[in-house]
Amino acid sequence: AAGVIQSPRHLIKEKRETATLKCYPIPRHDTVYWYQQGPGQDPQFLISFYEKMQSDKGSIPDRFSAQQFSDYHSELNMSSLELGDSALYFCASSLGLSWGYQETQYFGPGTRLLVL
Amino acid sequence: AQKITQTQPGMFVQEKEAVTLDCTYDTSDPSYGLFWYKQPSSGEMIFLIYQGSYDQQNATEGRYSLNFQKARKSANLVISASQLGDSAMYFCAMREGDSGNTPLVFGKGTRLSVIA
């Protein structure tokens, strides 16, 4: 079965640089979520999109922005990178208006970002 | 207050034995979903099992079962016949509200080590 695809898998950036993370959801999934997981931490919700509109917003810094495109893929843009942005960034997708088992969020493999 | 509490930072279990990972949750919303995810050392977040707040029966998925005690607000994961490959971090997560596409809130996780 098709899974969530994230690219790149690994990324090394310098402080104050920018980064763009991409996410391709499972086919037919209309909702995309972004989570950040720092070392030894639990995942923290950043932002989500349903049908190309922002759905919920979590602890996403103002330096970050995201969008969902017409083909449902999503991009997380990160500017003025700081050392503290080093983390594993997950994208997850789900069927937005489903309830019950069908609402399950499936996670991509993550992008490991290291800021030097 | 923590929405999801996992009180066991680490657990050890002998191969082929059963193990229970604890999870308690805090919500005043009558509608919610509870999830367990497995995160091996490679980093991916693997969905294991789902329990809806209105489900009458405990969820089961192969060797995984969820001991759902609604009045106690607990959703413990039971892994039967542990295998070496079960060694990983396990996260309990919750989605609140009627909408199926609200973000997940995670617990701090339990690191399970299976001993041969």
Side-chain angles (χ1 to χ4, degrees), chain B residues 28-47:
Chain B
S28 57
D29 202 307
S31 176
Y32 52 90
L34 296 159
F35 303 81
W36 278 91
Y37 288 86
K38 171 185 178 182
Q39 187 173 41
S41 57
S42 52
E44 67 264 40
M45 193 71 74
I46 302 166
F47 165 71

Side-chain angles (χ1 to χ4, degrees), chain B:
Chain B
Q2 280 277 35
K3 290 276 187 179
I4 296 287
T5 302
Q6 294 181 253
T7 57
Q8 307 151 315
M11 289 276 287
F12 288 89
V13 64
Q14 203 76 31
E15 198 178 7
K16 298 177 186 165
E17 297 287 312
V19 63
T20 297
L21 306 184
D22 294 342
C23 172
T24 57
Y25 58 93
D26 181 24
T27 181
S28 57
D29 202 307
S31 176
Y32 52 90
L34 296 159
F35 303 81
W36 278 91
Y37 288 86
K38 171 185 178 182
Q39 187 173 41
S41 57
S42 52
E44 67 264 40
M45 193 71 74
I46 302 166
F47 165 71
L48 295 178
I49 197 165
Y50 163 85
Q51 181 84 44
S53 59
Y54 297 118
D55 292 343
Q56 296 296 312
Q57 294 188 323
N58 287 344
T60 60
E61 290 283 345
R63 292 187 300 111
Y64 304 107
S65 61
L66 204 151
N67 184 1
F68 182 46
Q69 298 188 44
K70 197 169 182 177
R72 298 180 60 184
K73 293 189 175 179
S74 74
N76 299 339
L77 176 70
V78 181
I79 305 175
S80 63
S82 297
Q83 302 171 356
L84 295 178
D86 294 334
S87 294
M89 182 71 89
Y90 288 81
F91 289 99
C92 179
M94 177 173 66
R95 188 273 310 149
E96 294 176 272
D98 287 330
S99 173
N101 63 348
T102 51
L104 295 177
V105 175
F106 287 82
K108 297 299 182 188
T110 295
R111 183 169 298 283
L112 178 66
S113 299
V114 180
I115 305 165

Side-chain angles (χ1 to χ4, degrees), chain A residues 35 37 42 90 99 103 105, chain B residues 31 37 39 43 95 98 104 107:
Chain A
Y35 293 87
Q37 186 179 27
D42 53 294
F90 285 109
W99 210 85
E103 69 175 272
Q105 294 181 27
Chain B
S31 176
Y37 288 86
Q39 187 173 41
R95 188 273 310 149
D98 287 330
L104 295 177

